[in-house]
Amino acid sequence: MNQTEPVVPASTGKSLRITLGAAAGAALAVLGYVPFVWWMQSVFDVPQPSVHPEGLPLSIDPPAVGYWVSWAVPGVAVLLCTLATIPSRPARQFALPLAIAFLALAGLLAWFFVSMDLFFTAD
């Protein structure tokens, strides 16, 4: 009698890597993105945008380039790390969902916090 081992679908590892990558990217964005940006802004002494009502509509001084760079650096770093995984298929199956989830959530968080910096007044 010929005994064979049970057949495990090849996609099991792939779907696990994709799921874990997306979960890691979401967790990284939610837990680390905004604190890291705030840390960079304090370390590099990035001036915050100032909002002052000089006329109608609300007058805003344009934010410094460093302000925009501080919000973009984490996303660029994640993209560069994702590009580094191109040669390895298993690493790519983890890193690409991580990057997509991170960039999607980090973009929403950046939109929210930048809009609060630019358009929120304490009136």
Side-chain angles (χ1 to χ4, degrees):
M1 188 179 255
N2 188 5
Q3 289 188 351
T4 60
E5 294 188 28
V7 177
V8 178
S11 64
T12 303
K14 177 182 177 182
S15 60
L16 180 63
R17 286 187 292 271
I18 290 171
T19 303
L20 289 176
L28 185 62
V30 170
L31 299 175
Y33 177 63
V34 174
F36 183 73
V37 168
W38 287 343
W39 174 80
M40 278 188 356
Q41 288 176 348
S42 68
V43 166
F44 294 109
D45 200 24
V46 175
Q48 295 297 307
S50 61
V51 178
H52 47 88
E54 288 183 355
L56 297 175
L58 197 61
S59 177
I60 302 169
D61 292 336
V65 173
Y67 178 79
W68 299 112
V69 169
S70 68
W71 286 100
V73 163
V76 171
V78 167
L79 282 176
L80 290 175
C81 290
T82 301
L83 288 175
T85 66
I86 287 175
S88 170
R89 172 171 271 153
R92 189 173 56 239
Q93 290 170 346
F94 177 82
L96 187 60
L98 183 143
I100 291 169
F102 177 84
L103 292 174
L105 286 173
L108 288 173
L109 289 169
W111 169 78
F112 177 76
F113 282 100
V114 168
S115 65
M116 292 296 285
D117 283 345
L118 292 179
F119 302 112
F120 179 74
T121 58
D123 294 12

